Amino acid sequence: MAERIWGLAAAPAAERTDLLAAPVAAGLEGWKAAAEEPPPLVAEVDPALSDTAAASEAYGFPMEAGANCIVVTGKRGGEVRRAACVVLATTRLDVNGAVRRRLDVRKASFARQDDAVAATGMEYGGITPVGLPEGWPLLIDAAVAACPLVVIGSGVRRSKLIVPGAALTGLPGAETVDGLGLPAEG
């Protein structure tokens, strides 16, 4: 049974795994939320409107409730280090500050699209913190964790997950980072 959250017709994600990438569906099987938190929800969206700003406008959720998951890489001693980072859509990721320091690399950068897709098993533009590869650090901006509900990717462009921001901090490898998201310029 779907419920309306903003302009999204949302249903329990466990009942609509057809709207999730396989790693995301697997990640939700082990979902551990506090008793007072609602279960993850999923809402079908037009894939052409999947980018956060377009989805916010089309489906009526505030940009402050939109969160983006960004895969970042860096190298140290020839070893490639990756992390997934989650920041509010109203901010920009502090790649060469907070992320670089956390990965302990000289320079961090956004992962190439093909590499991010291959490594996560998710569609570009739908990458989400749920169901990431084992052992990846998951850096979550404190502002995301403080949101009552966030709209994030579902692993595919045709849907969005809706979860309490605090619930993301319980995902494997998650750590909350103050200042991970910086004020957006412009």
Side-chain angles (χ1 to χ4, degrees):
M1 172 179 232
E3 66 178 278
R4 281 271 171 212
I5 299 180
W6 297 295
L8 296 162
E15 296 174 11
R16 292 297 315 269
T17 57
D18 59 304
L19 293 175
L20 308 172
V24 177
L28 286 175
E29 286 177 11
W31 185 267
K32 292 178 178 61
E36 67 276 0
E37 292 174 353
L41 301 172
V42 66
E44 193 165 5
V45 298
D46 180 340
L49 300 172
S50 183
D51 292 337
T52 309
S56 170
E57 185 174 331
Y59 299 103
F61 64 86
M63 284 291 285
E64 296 80 14
N68 295 317
C69 183
I70 304 154
V71 178
V72 178
T73 64
K75 284 187 182 178
R76 176 100 181 177
E79 171 197 3
V80 174
R81 298 180 181 188
R82 291 186 180 99
C85 305
V86 183
V87 295
L88 292 177
T90 55
T91 65
R92 63 181 175 83
L93 180 62
D94 185 13
V95 177
N96 276 303
V99 178
R100 179 189 57 77
R101 285 189 299 275
R102 171 55 184 82
L103 288 179
D104 191 25
V105 295
R106 192 171 60 80
K107 182 178 183 232
S109 59
F110 297 111
R112 289 185 33 226
Q113 179 176 334
D114 293 347
D115 293 341
V117 168
T120 62
M122 300 178 203
E123 293 177 6
Y124 192 77
I127 294 175
T128 189
V130 180
L132 290 168
E134 189 174 327
W136 276 31
L138 172 57
L139 310 180
I140 300 170
D141 186 72
V144 172
C147 280
L149 285 178
V150 292
V151 178
I152 58 174
S154 64
V156 295
R157 290 185 60 86
R158 68 181 184 276
S159 64
K160 295 286 186 186
L161 287 174
I162 305 163
V163 299
L168 298 177
T169 65
L171 291 171
E175 60 185 88
T176 304
V177 179
D178 286 319
L180 187 65
L182 299 174
E185 296 173 3

